[in-house]
Amino acid sequence: MALTITPATVSACSSFTVSATGAPAGAVNATFSYDGAPPQTVAVTAGAAGPVTFTAAGSGAQLVSVVYTDAGSAVVGADTGTVTVTAAPAGTLTTTLTTVGGVTTAATTLTCPAGLTGLNGTITYTLPGGATVTATVTNGVVATVPLGVSVLPGQTVGVSFAPAAGTCAACTFAPITVTVPVQATCSVVVLPVVAPVTVGQPVQVTAVVTCGGSPVAGATVTFNGGTSPVTVTTNALGIATGLLTFGTAGTVTVTATVTAAGTSCSCSGVVSLPITVTVQQSGNGPLQALPACWRVNVPFPLPNLFTATLRATVTPATAGVPVTFSVGGQVVGTAVTDASGTATLNAGLSLLQILSGTYTASATINGTPVQATSTLTPCLPPV
């Protein structure tokens, strides 16, 4: 009787086969056994049985046996052999701890030279104070787990792996201890906006991201407060510059949020203090200076010999905006915009404001001037 084991030396979690030859007379079945694995029974044919396949476990020289039985299930013979199992290679655990909103989360990665497929079990996190939190490993993958507490800088978390019952771990994993680093303070500051800010006109906004006083390059910063958020990236000096547009006039609050940063600082989610921006109504609408006519019914006292209709429009259309009109550098009156954003003024003009048959009018809307030029039309004889 003899057992043939192939290969005779095998790595843990790898397969090997066992065959039997020279079965005793009367043997009809052969039952193979190995290291606690379920026995496998096969028929004996012409004095031989097998091969059967087992998965190597543990390490070192291990016993493989076969028992022969006759038709009445009586034992008629037995034999043994040895398989040498080399230990599973060492794998590594890598854990990152992140604290956001007062809760620390743990993200663990397993690496194994023999591969991760079939690597199942449990990761156990041992927290300061002794409490534990577990996470399931499926085919080498473990989800990020909230630890339920805020692990403070300088505190440690123990991390260990245990294979699932009945499985063979392709790697051995030594427990590790992870220390939460003492991090520098990350900050983002929005600089004051010094340029005039007008409805509908993009304005430059700037933020500076630092970690412990040093600039953070490549950080993703989102400005909020305009008609839509604007996301930009800091340069080598930690400066992020974007363009915000505001849809309505009035006082607006602008903030900047760091959404990502490749630094040891916990910069993600850091929000700046707000700054206040005063948005003025746009004055970029057209100014109509309609042809001036000789005054007919003396609606204006002398020396205003001419009547001109002036119209200015603000965009977007806004009612109640005061518009100051001037002709030849002299203020001729003020009108208020209606619901369409248009202010209309019938102005009396003097002979000195009419030069060579034309006049130039201007309208000032929230400090923004627009101009137009029109002609003198003697549409009626002078009175």
Side-chain angles (χ1 to χ4, degrees):
M1 295 182 289
L3 287 182
T4 301
I5 300 173
T6 307
T9 299
V10 62
S11 299
C13 298
S14 297
S15 298
F16 65 93
T17 62
V18 183
S19 300
T21 56
V28 296
N29 290 311
T31 300
F32 295 89
S33 299
Y34 163 70
D35 192 38
Q40 299 184 48
T41 300
V42 295
V44 175
T45 303
V52 297
T53 301
F54 290 103
T55 299
S59 62
Q62 296 179 349
L63 185 67
V64 181
S65 64
V66 62
V67 174
Y68 299 100
T69 55
D70 61 14
S73 298
V75 175
V76 295
D79 202 357
T80 61
T82 300
V83 61
T84 301
V85 181
T86 58
T92 57
L93 298 176
T94 304
T95 297
T96 301
L97 302 177
T98 304
T99 301
V100 176
V103 176
T104 300
T105 59
T108 296
T109 301
L110 296 89
T111 57
C112 175
L116 298 175
T117 302
L119 186 59
N120 301 302
T122 303
I123 293 287
T124 299
Y125 301 100
T126 303
L127 309 180
T132 59
V133 176
T134 60
T136 300
V137 180
T138 303
N139 288 330
V141 178
V142 55
T144 299
V145 177
L147 300 181
V149 297
S150 177
V151 183
L152 302 178
Q155 292 184 320
T156 60
V157 173
V159 184
S160 60
F161 170 77
T167 65
C168 182
C171 276
T172 58
F173 295 92
I176 63 172
T177 299
V178 182
T179 302
V180 178
V182 178
Q183 297 177 332
T185 302
C186 183
S187 67
V188 54
V189 177
V190 180
L191 303 183
V193 177
V194 295
V197 182
T198 304
V199 171
Q201 300 299 313
V203 64
Q204 180 174 295
V205 288
T206 302
V208 181
V209 181
T210 58
C211 175
S214 299
V216 178
T220 304
V221 178
T222 298
F223 291 99
N224 294 287
T227 54
S228 60
V230 173
T231 299
V232 292
T233 303
T234 58
N235 61 17
L237 300 178
I239 298 173
T241 302
L243 294 176
L244 279 183
T245 303
F246 303 93
T248 58
T251 300
V252 181
T253 297
V254 174
T255 60
T257 301
V258 182
T259 57
T263 172
S264 59
C265 273
S266 293
C267 285
S268 297
V270 174
V271 183
S272 72
L273 292 175
I275 65 167
T276 300
V277 175
T278 300
V279 183
Q280 299 178 347
Q281 180 61 53
S282 172
N284 61 350
L287 170 65
Q288 290 180 302
L290 302 182
C293 294
W294 291 105
R295 182 171 55 84
V296 178
N297 294 320
V298 196
F300 301 99
L302 292 173
N304 295 333
L305 301 178
F306 307 98
T307 298
T309 299
L310 308 175
R311 292 192 184 96
T313 303
V314 298
T315 55
T318 305
V321 178
V323 179
T324 300
F325 293 94
S326 299
V327 175
Q330 298 179 9
V331 175
V332 295
T334 298
V336 177
T337 57
D338 57 19
S340 67
T342 300
T344 302
L345 178 71
N346 291 318
L349 306 182
S350 69
L351 184 60
L352 293 177
Q353 291 171 302
I354 303 295
L355 299 175
S356 302
T358 65
Y359 71 96
T360 299
S362 65
T364 301
I365 307 169
N366 287 326
T368 302
V370 289
Q371 285 190 341
T373 300
S374 190
T375 60
L376 171 65
T377 302
C379 45
L380 288 175
V383 287

